Amino acid sequence: MSDPTENTPPSQPSNGSTAPATPPPAMPPVAPYGAAPAYQAQPAPVYAAPAAPSQPGAYGQQQPGPGTFNVLSIVAFVSAFVVFPAAIICGHIALSQIKKTGEKGRGFAIAALVLGYVSLVSLIILIIILAVTFSMVASNPSLYNNN
């Protein structure tokens, strides 16, 4: 009989023969003493998208969108030129709402507050100046009497 290893192709070893040995994997070169080690680049980290707010609004309450503008801040800003006490009150309420809901319009609310308080301080200074002027006129009527 013939030998079973003679009929098998050379790429497929038979059960009784030994397979050719593969060389071990090459070791990376070692850096000389004192040299900085060579590091491989790490892949960039992958971050997840930010989570949506977990607290939905109450039933029937409309949630503001990302570009919603607080209307009360605009009302406060416009009223700063007409009635400053309304600007102060509406400005504080608008800032509170913006803080809770994350709407836009914080700059308008702050500008309304600044204009409102500047108007208030100006009115107080004007009242003081008028009071001093009237008290000077009342105490010295001869200064302004033409007789």
Side-chain angles (χ1 to χ4, degrees), residues 29-91:
V30 177
Y33 180 75
Y39 295 105
Q40 294 179 352
Q42 298 294 324
V46 178
Y47 297 107
S54 61
Q55 296 177 344
Y59 179 73
Q61 184 178 10
Q62 184 178 5
Q63 289 294 320
T68 307
F69 211 87
N70 190 310
V71 176
L72 198 57
S73 65
I74 298 172
V75 170
F77 183 73
V78 171
S79 66
F81 297 105
V82 182
V83 183
F84 69 88
I88 294 172
I89 293 168
C90 291

Side-chain angles (χ1 to χ4, degrees), residues 5-24:
T5 58
E6 293 174 349
N7 295 338
T8 60
S11 63
Q12 297 177 353
S14 65
N15 288 341
S17 67
T18 60
T22 58

Side-chain angles (χ1 to χ4, degrees), residues 72-117:
L72 198 57
S73 65
I74 298 172
V75 170
F77 183 73
V78 171
S79 66
F81 297 105
V82 182
V83 183
F84 69 88
I88 294 172
I89 293 168
C90 291
H92 281 292
I93 295 171
L95 278 180
S96 175
Q97 288 178 352
I98 290 168
K99 189 181 205 181
K100 290 177 187 175
T101 62
E103 293 174 315
K104 293 182 180 179
R106 186 171 188 268
F108 272 113
I110 291 174
L113 286 172
V114 168
L115 290 172
Y117 280 119

